Amino acid sequence: MPLSTLRRTSVDLVPRGQHQGFTEEAVRDRRNWVERKTQVKLTHISSFAIPCSNFAGKIENPIGVAHVPLGIAGPLRVKGEFACGTFYVPMAANEGALVRSYERGMVALTRSGGVSARVHVDRNQICPAFSFPDVHSACEFARSLPLHFEQIRLQAESTTRHGKLESIDCYPAGRQVMARFLYSTGDAHGMNMIVRATDRACKWIVQNTSATEYLIFSGLEAEKRASGLLFAGGKGKKVIAGASLPAAIVKNYLHVSPEQMCALWRRTVIGNMHAGALGYCGHFANGLTAIFIACGQDVANVVNSSIGITEFELTAAGDLFASVTLPSLTVATVGGGTGIGTGRECLGLLDCCGSSKSRKLAEIIAAALLAGELSMGAAIAGGEFVSAHEEYGRNRPE
Ligand code: NAP
């Protein structure tokens, strides 16, 4: 069909409004337009307290706010390098039994003396792909790129105050080369930051090497996609949290023995292997999603953040040692949705607003996920999983 005919086809575009559509009037007008068009009254969507100007850079075509119930779980004692103290963790979800379950694990951990947590590595990655006429040129480029590192670093870092290019690893494939740029990104999530920085560096590379063109994303970066590469880290913070729980506390608070927990772990590792799972965990995604929504994080990063390993071990004294290892936990306390509305308030509950707080947030989240793994594991091992959901999580709509 010719373009002129296509253009005459009637399509009702969403109104943009004035000033990019972020004034109170523009948001209200757009919402009214949707109400008229769909004949649905948007009472809840129109109820919110944050100024509409705060939507800029966070959402396009805003009409209001989506609400998710918010609960609080704790106390959670964390003995981290950055998070030291007792925390009450905000969690937003529509899943009954979830907050109660995390809270049960947190109480057991706190009664056991708390959770040790450490951020081992902190960086983010982007992997552009460069094109070459043949395999020989591609491999020569991959070998020689480290010689240009200093010039490339200067180009990249000229676009950001906080982004620091740490290394570049090359992955030749056919007649292209994927280059893995690894940055430290301070307390920001960093994707906007490092995409801009890497784009500047790529332009320099194409002008000064044999590369003919580039794609800013090759796919290797696994942004918001689960991938085996992320097991080695690279997408955020590698965080480890662990605790020893005395057998009596495991019995009193989780209603199982350490031996039952370890037997559950062994058997479900087999199940996960059969499923071809990436890593092993009970339900990292539950706690991550609930905390990410509450704390203004980019929720789609749950996909990479939930890759990791949970371990339950029996100690020589007959107690339970439990740990979680999260190689690619992507969290921020600056930028994105962290500075506005409920996200900022929830970060405030954890004393995690702004600069120098993202590693603290990461340690708290890792400790919270450990609590969730213990509680869910105990519910399954002890046969309480169904009854807990019947008590807290059933809705049965008419
Ligand atoms: P951003 O939210 O757009 O801006 C954050 C900026 O804060 C940084 O670039 C930095 O400026 C500044 N900053 C101030 N204090 C800082 C501190 N202590 N540590 C670090 N930075 C500090 O940037 P972003 O974090 O790069 O991007 C996050 C957003 O990108 C999220 O909302 C996410 O949804 C979105 N996103 C983008 C892509 C993409 O491909 N572009 C992909 C996925 C997600 P300087 O750079 O000048 O230092």
Side-chain angles (χ1 to χ4, degrees), residues 187-190 237 295-298 330-336 338 347 352 354 357-358 361:
D187 295 290
H189 166 287
K237 295 162 178 44
C295 294
Q297 304 297 304
D298 184 338
T330 317
V331 292
T333 55
V334 169
T338 62
L347 286 172
C352 282
K357 299 289 184 177
S358 64
L361 179 64

Side-chain angles (χ1 to χ4, degrees), residues 109 231 238-245 258 261-266 268-269 279-282 284 308-315 319-326 369-371 373-374 377:
L109 285 165
F231 247 119
K238 176 164 184 173
V239 198
I240 302 152
S244 200
L245 295 95
M261 292 292 272
C262 293
L264 167 104
W265 188 84
R266 277 194 306 276
T268 52
V269 162
Y280 169 91
C281 74
F284 285 166
I309 296 177
T310 297
E311 275 184 272
F312 297 152
E313 297 169 60
L314 197 61
T315 69
D319 296 331
L320 176 66
F321 185 84
S323 68
V324 293
T325 302
L326 305 161
L369 295 192
L370 179 62
E373 296 295 284
L374 283 164

Side-chain angles (χ1 to χ4, degrees), residues 10 18 21 29 36 40 67 89 94 102 114 132 143 145-146 160 176 198 244 256 260 283 302 331 358 362 373 385:
S10 167
Q18 295 169 339
D29 290 351
R36 281 197 306 277
V40 177
H67 302 270
V89 181
N94 276 301
Y102 276 81
F132 300 89
R143 281 185 194 144
L145 197 66
T160 167
Q176 70 164 338
T198 307
S244 200
V256 286
Q260 279 176 288
H283 62 148
V302 167
V331 292
S358 64
E373 296 295 284
F385 190 85

Side-chain angles (χ1 to χ4, degrees), residues 122-126 156 159-160 162-164 181-199 217 223-224 234-237 297-298 301 329-338 358:
D122 186 359
R123 60 191 185 181
N124 202 348
Q125 67 183 14
I126 171 168
T159 66
T160 167
H162 294 81
K164 304 291 172 214
F181 284 61
L182 286 154
Y183 291 86
S184 63
T185 63
D187 295 290
H189 166 287
M191 264 331 263
N192 284 338
M193 175 199 289
I194 68 175
V195 171
R196 187 177 57 227
T198 307
D199 196 57
F217 291 109
E223 168 68 11
K224 297 175 179 171
K235 192 112 222 78
K237 295 162 178 44
Q297 304 297 304
D298 184 338
N301 280 118
L329 176 62
T330 317
V331 292
T333 55
V334 169
T338 62
S358 64

Side-chain angles (χ1 to χ4, degrees), residues 67-87:
H67 302 270
V68 180
L70 181 67
I72 193 96
L76 174 62
R77 183 160 180 229
V78 185
K79 299 176 293 184
E81 196 176 343
F82 303 94
C84 288
T86 301
F87 299 92

Side-chain angles (χ1 to χ4, degrees), residues 155-326:
Q155 290 292 322
E157 293 182 7
S158 69
T159 66
T160 167
R161 294 160 297 157
H162 294 81
K164 304 291 172 214
L165 181 62
E166 293 184 345
S167 62
I168 307 174
D169 301 329
C170 284
Y171 297 74
R175 55 179 189 157
Q176 70 164 338
V177 175
M178 293 165 279
R180 189 183 190 203
F181 284 61
L182 286 154
Y183 291 86
S184 63
T185 63
D187 295 290
H189 166 287
M191 264 331 263
N192 284 338
M193 175 199 289
I194 68 175
V195 171
R196 187 177 57 227
T198 307
D199 196 57
R200 174 72 64 88
C202 288
K203 287 189 167 70
W204 184 92
I205 290 170
V206 167
Q207 279 164 10
N208 292 281
T209 70
S210 58
T212 55
E213 58 173 10
Y214 70 94
L215 292 175
I216 192 70
F217 291 109
S218 64
L220 182 71
E221 63 288 323
E223 168 68 11
K224 297 175 179 171
R225 293 186 298 282
S227 100
L229 185 77
L230 296 184
F231 247 119
K235 192 112 222 78
K237 295 162 178 44
K238 176 164 184 173
V239 198
I240 302 152
S244 200
L245 295 95
I249 286 185
V250 176
K251 192 80 201 158
N252 281 344
Y253 289 90
L254 302 177
H255 309 150
V256 286
S257 64
E259 289 82 358
Q260 279 176 288
M261 292 292 272
C262 293
L264 167 104
W265 188 84
R266 277 194 306 276
R267 291 178 62 188
T268 52
V269 162
I270 305 288
N272 274 266
M273 286 173 74
H274 268 275
L278 266 179
Y280 169 91
C281 74
H283 62 148
F284 285 166
N286 262 337
L288 285 170
T289 309
I291 298 170
F292 277 20
I293 293 174
C295 294
Q297 304 297 304
D298 184 338
V299 182
N301 280 118
V302 167
V303 179
N304 48 275
S305 299
S306 57
I307 294 171
I309 296 177
T310 297
E311 275 184 272
F312 297 152
E313 297 169 60
L314 197 61
T315 69
D319 296 331
L320 176 66
F321 185 84
S323 68
V324 293
T325 302
L326 305 161

